[in-house]
Amino acid sequence: EPEVTQTPSHQVTQMGQEVILRCVPISNHLYFYWYRQILGQKVEFLVSFYNNEISEKSEIFDDQFSVERPDGSNFTLKIRSTKLEDSAMYFCASGEGPGELFFGEGSRLTVL
Amino acid sequence: GEDVEQSLFLSVREGDSSVINCTYTDSSSTYLYWYKQEPGAGLQLLTYIFSNMDMKQDQRLTVLLNKKDKHLSLRIADTQTGDSAIYFCAEYTYSSASKIIFGSGTRLSIRP
């Protein structure tokens, strides 16, 4: 069964460092998303991406965040200068249409 | 605005039915979802229902939608220890454009 895969599963970084989280969405999907979940809290929307551009982003997705689909298969989330409060589980999701999302297992980011 | 509310905890005896409830605010919701998250894992789509449906059944899972009261429930029949997880209610609406909004999640624990 096709699935969304994310790497790394866990990354530990120092505050101020750049981090890139990678996702391989399901191959025929057209809609891509990043969500995050701070430990014990809600799953929060970060950004959606369709047709090679951002379609919507939340207040959390400030100038420190960017997304890219560099090669037609990967979908990356970059955090330019990490802060302690960026520590969270980051989930990538993809869908054929906007209504049905399949999530990856997540990448846990720990900022020290 | 969009908001999805759930109770935080539910404890049931093994073999009993579990009923997890959710309320949402956006009457233009088109899809309503239940996701399951096991400890340390990603978000697994369990089932979803279109807003023009009242009920959907899938093996041990029954989803009921009361659109008038904006109330969604998930019933798990014959609850097993493997059902222990956090269950997230989520909605997709045209007013939220291209994202799904999650509730806070209900932690289901199973008593022997």
Side-chain angles (χ1 to χ4, degrees):
Chain A
E1 189 177 319
E3 57 182 20
V4 176
T5 56
Q6 291 186 240
T7 53
S9 55
H10 188 192
Q11 181 155 357
V12 181
T13 190
Q14 295 290 325
M15 193 168 58
Q17 294 296 303
E18 177 183 283
V19 158
I20 297 176
L21 305 178
R22 291 183 169 80
C23 171
V24 180
I26 295 172
S27 62
N28 60 334
H29 286 183
L30 302 175
Y31 293 80
F32 312 109
Y33 304 79
W34 283 101
Y35 282 78
R36 81 169 184 194
Q37 186 182 31
I38 294 171
L39 186 64
Q41 296 189 25
K42 240 176 158 165
V43 178
E44 300 173 294
F45 169 77
L46 290 178
V47 66
S48 58
F49 193 86
Y50 171 72
N51 205 23
N52 288 321
E53 59 182 27
I54 290 174
S55 44
E56 189 166 351
K57 57 184 180 179
S58 71
E59 292 169 354
I60 303 165
F61 194 88
D62 62 20
D63 293 344
Q64 293 300 312
F65 290 87
S66 62
V67 289
E68 217 176 27
R69 196 147 185 257
D71 57 13
S73 61
N74 291 286
F75 180 51
T76 62
L77 175 70
K78 184 194 290 187
I79 310 174
R80 286 189 186 81
S81 177
T82 49
K83 304 187 284 287
L84 295 175
E85 54 265 36
D86 294 326
S87 294
M89 183 75 96
Y90 288 81
F91 291 106
C92 174
S94 71
E96 281 182 304
E100 184 176 348
L101 299 193
F102 293 88
F103 283 79
E105 291 291 305
S107 293
R108 181 173 298 285
L109 176 64
T110 303
V111 182
L112 303 176
Chain B
E2 312 119 354
D3 200 12
V4 180
E5 298 284 341
Q6 302 177 240
S7 54
L8 293 180
F9 300 100
L10 178 66
S11 175
V12 299
R13 188 170 286 118
E14 189 175 359
D16 288 352
S17 291
S18 308
V19 180
I20 303 171
N21 294 300
C22 169
T23 57
Y24 59 97
T25 55
D26 195 329
S27 56
S28 64
S29 290
T30 53
Y31 296 78
L32 293 138
Y33 311 83
W34 286 103
Y35 282 86
K36 177 182 180 183
Q37 186 180 38
E38 296 183 23
L43 295 160
Q44 176 194 353
L45 177 63
L46 280 180
T47 186
Y48 65 92
I49 189 168
F50 296 107
S51 59
N52 61 356
M53 296 167 67
D54 298 323
M55 187 183 92
K56 182 178 180 182
Q57 186 150 4
D58 183 3
Q59 299 181 338
R60 290 191 298 124
L61 305 179
T62 304
V63 178
L64 294 177
L65 175 61
N66 181 330
K67 211 173 167 188
K68 176 175 164 289
D69 295 338
K70 301 195 192 84
H71 182 267
L72 183 74
S73 68
L74 174 70
R75 179 176 178 269
I76 306 172
D78 186 25
T79 310
Q80 303 298 308
T81 53
D83 295 322
S84 292
I86 299 176
Y87 290 82
F88 290 92
C89 173
E91 64 170 353
Y92 170 81
T93 71
Y94 285 122
S95 62
S96 65
S98 53
K99 64 181 185 283
I100 289 176
I101 306 294
F102 284 84
S104 301
T106 299
R107 184 179 295 276
L108 176 64
S109 62
I110 315 301
R111 310 190 294 275

